[in-house]
Amino acid sequence: MPTLILVRHGRSTANTSGVLAGRTPGVALDERGASQAAALPGRLAGLPLVAAVSSPLQRCRETLRPLLDARPGLPLHTEDRISECDYGDWSGRKLAELSDEPLMSVVQQHPSAAAFPGGESMRAMQARAVEAVREWNARLEEEHGEDAVYVMCSHGDIIKSLVADALGMHLDLFQRIHADPCSVTAIRYTRLRPFLLRLGDTGDLGSLAPHGQAPGADADADAATGTASDAAVGGGAGAP
């Protein structure tokens, strides 16, 4: 079955301002995020990608743009089921402010019971993302064979939930997983089990090609960078 290259979008303006963007429109990559996206084609140069799949949100589309420009024949597909978690009434609010909400302790310690007011539950978020990946695996294996490699650009909590599924971890443990902006997580699916090959990788990725192919400060800062002991809801801004 295919190998999935999961890319978290590059650092966004919401990440650096410590805001939980959710599905708020108009959230773009910041200067560093654009630089991270520009480096992505080189990082993935050794991989024979057959398709790119993107969340519909602007920051993911901007992250994939340099890769698509570098590979004009690479087809792009938009997949709503890998869009950011619907944080509902929490969307657009400061993470430092949300840390005082009673629900935040549930999000951190018992996420399978967390449902965002006016939004979706974290169980529903994981279920739709896993379903999307399984369907894309089947589709691309049928079209390109079992050694197919494809890239999917999504969001921190989506990627963490997919990793938890691949590892057979309960969703309540997924806050132990972290993925920085524009990091790469690779999962190779097989008939009997998935294998996690990379988690939050920011270095060279040529070795992921199939065999035979070529090769902490204040609360706002902690919330934005994910340096606090709590997990960075929404994914955080990465290292300063």
Side-chain angles (χ1 to χ4, degrees):
M1 295 182 70
T3 297
L4 170 62
I5 308 299
L6 280 165
V7 177
R8 186 183 164 205
H9 61 79
R11 196 175 75 175
S12 73
T13 53
N15 292 147
T16 46
S17 60
V19 168
L20 185 62
R23 299 179 180 182
T24 305
V27 176
L29 299 183
D30 67 6
E31 184 176 355
R32 181 172 178 178
S35 177
Q36 291 170 333
L40 191 60
R43 294 171 61 203
L44 300 181
L47 300 181
L49 301 173
V50 299
V53 182
S54 178
S55 157
L57 296 182
Q58 179 179 341
R59 53 197 184 272
C60 288
R61 292 186 282 108
E62 289 181 352
T63 299
L64 285 181
R65 179 47 52 196
L67 177 65
L68 296 170
D69 288 345
R71 300 197 190 195
L74 186 66
L76 173 65
H77 308 274
T78 300
E79 174 57 75
D80 291 340
R81 291 173 295 177
I82 61 165
S83 186
E84 180 63 284
C85 184
D86 184 356
Y87 298 115
D89 298 344
W90 280 27
S91 300
R93 294 177 61 187
K94 284 276 192 178
L95 284 161
E97 169 191 323
L98 290 169
S99 66
D100 295 327
E101 293 279 353
L103 178 62
M104 182 58 86
S105 61
V106 182
V107 170
Q108 292 291 332
Q109 300 177 45
H110 190 22
S112 66
F116 296 97
E120 70 178 334
S121 69
M122 301 198 93
R123 294 189 316 280
M125 174 199 73
Q126 183 186 44
R128 62 173 166 83
V130 169
E131 179 184 50
V133 166
R134 299 293 177 162
E135 289 184 8
W136 278 105
N137 285 348
R139 172 178 172 176
L140 294 175
E141 180 176 10
E142 182 177 357
E143 293 177 358
H144 300 281
E146 62 182 12
D147 285 335
V149 182
Y150 70 108
V151 62
M152 178 176 280
C153 188
S154 189
H155 308 268
D157 282 348
I158 296 290
I159 291 170
K160 288 161 57 176
S161 71
L162 289 169
V163 170
D165 173 75
L167 292 176
M169 290 170 54
H170 196 282
L171 184 61
D172 284 343
L173 300 178
F174 101 128
Q175 297 292 27
R176 302 183 183 192
I177 300 166
H178 184 73
D180 276 341
C182 222
S183 63
V184 170
T185 294
I187 303 170
R188 179 164 290 152
Y189 290 86
T190 74
R191 185 174 65 87
L192 296 180
R193 62 179 62 85
F195 292 90
L196 180 65
L197 306 180
R198 294 289 190 280
L199 176 62
D201 198 310
T202 56
D204 176 70
L205 298 163
S207 64
L208 294 179
H211 296 301
Q213 298 285 350
D218 56 27
D220 282 310
D222 282 350
T225 63
T227 57
S229 59
D230 282 348
V233 179

